[in-house]
Amino acid sequence: MPSTRIDTETLEALGMGAAILSAGGGSFPYLECLCAADLLRSTTVELIPMDALSDDANVAMVAMAGAPLAMTERFVDADHFAKPVRALEALGHRFDAIMGHEIGSMNGIIPVLVAARTGLPLVDADTMGRSFPQAHMTSFALAGVPMTPMALCDIRDNSVVMTEALDGRWTETMMRAVTTSFGSIAAIASAARGATIKAHGIAGTPSRAIRIGKAILAAQQDQSDAVATLLQAEAGIELVRGRIVDIARETTGGFVRGVATVMPANGDAMTVHFQNEYAVVAQGDTILATVPDLICVLDAQRGEPIGTEALRYAQQVVVAALPPTAAHMTAHALAVLGPRGFGYDFDYTSPHQRGSSH
């Protein structure tokens, strides 16, 4: 499979699609795209298929860890996100490519920043296929694959390197403590071999984001229904269309947590519960959709995704559920990625199981 290139023309589509796949973990990553556009004026980033990696290739997997709300408080610095890669290089690692830990929102663009800054190709894959709030929810952690060594760097001159961790949950526990002490923003990088990525990575997620983004942008350009375009392209189901009448949100323990209430023109209000990402949609005591369905809150007019940090009173929105990734539907994965993995006392529920819209 031939490689493609990410340039200033594909950047907006990548950002829009990554925001959809963030499931509320971020809105359109405007600041990250501005920074990437500046870098891509003088270069492009090669996007290579996961299967093109040699088994012994050394890949730096990068991301922002922390609360999305905190990221909106400062401009994006490409050198900050390249810093943990440099920290691992200082320990003797020599990298052949860059890959994102997750595709969602800003974490769909940050790997482009690091690839452009380092001059390395970007692997067309990630470890989540979307956004999830915790490190033990990656495909690597679910398979019992080590996520270390991992470097974490803040915006000052503080760096921490984890050389080993017992499992994904311990990786998350230590990573979250460090990230919270950094002010809920940490640039992270870990190292993995090509054979591991080909065995456990989720292929094609940046390409999927670009495809979704192009569809939404084309619908906006044609002044057609961007929400309907997205739902048709991704087999999504509309759950409610209405106005946000209440929003409760706080940043605690390194997460943005809260509940948004959406009132439709007719019928009872629905609530959307989130922990960095949207996790549950309910109507009274009836659960309508839960993770790992990809729950989206979309601007009703433009079809653009609205992250948890951007929810506001009186917004006109559509709440929809896209089907989950097949890898997330095993019993083992659902125990971690389903609602019980987020602390809820009920099992996975999906409108896709019922096969009809609300």
Side-chain angles (χ1 to χ4, degrees):
M1 228 170 105
S3 63
T4 58
R5 304 199 79 83
I6 296 176
D7 54 22
T8 53
E9 292 185 6
T10 55
L11 188 62
E12 185 179 8
L14 174 60
M16 184 67 73
I20 291 290
L21 296 177
S22 78
S27 302
F28 178 79
Y30 178 71
L31 296 178
E32 288 77 12
C33 283
L34 279 183
C35 184
D38 185 55
L39 291 176
L40 293 177
R41 287 191 181 96
S42 57
T43 187
T44 59
V45 169
E46 184 183 12
L47 185 65
I48 62 173
M50 182 174 75
D51 290 341
L53 293 170
S54 65
D55 286 353
D56 61 354
N58 201 15
V59 178
M61 302 194 304
V62 301
M64 185 283 292
L69 190 61
M71 274 292 291
T72 65
E73 297 175 355
R74 67 186 305 272
F75 287 112
V76 177
D77 179 2
D79 289 329
H80 173 216
F81 292 107
K83 188 177 176 183
V85 177
R86 304 302 187 198
L88 293 178
E89 287 177 337
L91 297 178
H93 288 273
R94 295 295 176 263
F95 292 109
D96 303 298
I98 302 295
M99 182 175 124
H101 272 285
E102 68 172 20
I103 187 60
S105 190
M106 62 191 70
N107 275 329
I109 302 298
I110 285 167
V112 177
L113 298 179
V114 179
R117 182 62 86 205
T118 59
L120 295 173
L122 178 64
V123 180
D124 191 12
D126 76 335
T127 68
M128 290 187 173
R130 47 162 293 163
S131 290
F132 283 114
Q134 295 174 292
H136 67 274
M137 296 175 171
T138 66
S139 58
F140 279 33
L142 290 171
V145 175
M147 299 174 66
T148 53
M150 177 183 288
L152 301 92
C153 303
D154 73 356
I155 60 174
R156 294 164 288 271
D157 291 322
N158 297 313
S159 298
V160 172
V161 176
M162 292 194 300
T163 57
E164 60 181 344
L166 178 64
D167 55 22
R169 288 189 181 275
W170 272 107
T171 302
E172 165 62 28
T173 297
M174 293 186 288
M175 187 184 80
R176 192 64 50 184
V178 172
T179 299
T180 302
S181 71
F182 282 172
S184 292
I185 303 175
I188 69 170
S190 60
R193 292 293 179 185
T196 302
I197 289 171
K198 288 186 287 186
H200 302 293
I202 298 177
T205 43
S207 290
R208 181 189 181 195
I210 292 170
R211 184 175 66 252
I212 291 172
K214 284 183 176 179
I216 292 174
L217 293 170
Q220 291 176 345
Q221 182 69 27
D222 297 340
Q223 297 186 342
S224 56
D225 189 335
V227 172
T229 297
L230 171 66
L231 299 186
Q232 181 177 5
E234 295 297 314
I237 294 176
E238 181 176 314
L239 299 174
V240 62
R241 183 181 294 255
R243 184 169 69 98
I244 294 180
V245 295
D246 191 33
I247 175 72
R249 177 177 46 218
E250 62 179 346
T251 301
T252 59
F255 298 106
V256 177
R257 305 173 193 265
V259 181
T261 303
V262 180
M263 180 65 71
N266 298 294
D268 296 331
M270 295 191 188
T271 52
V272 183
H273 304 252
F274 54 87
Q275 179 180 306
N276 277 16
E277 286 79 37
Y278 300 119
V280 174
V281 180
Q283 188 173 49
D285 294 331
T286 302
I287 306 302
L288 301 177
T290 73
V291 284
D293 276 12
L294 204 158
I295 299 168
C296 306
V297 177
L298 308 164
D299 180 278
Q301 279 72 47
R302 294 184 54 79
E304 296 185 1
I306 302 172
T308 59
E309 84 289 351
L311 293 170
R312 299 290 185 271
Y313 177 79
Q315 283 173 325
Q316 297 289 335
V317 302
V318 174
V319 181
L322 306 188
T325 300
H328 297 158
M329 291 303 295
T330 67
H332 173 61
L334 280 174
V336 177
L337 306 178
R340 293 188 185 277
F342 287 73
Y344 297 101
D345 190 25
F346 45 80
D347 293 324
Y348 169 63
T349 300
S350 171
H352 298 280
Q353 294 173 322
R354 299 188 293 274
S356 62
S357 61
H358 181 82

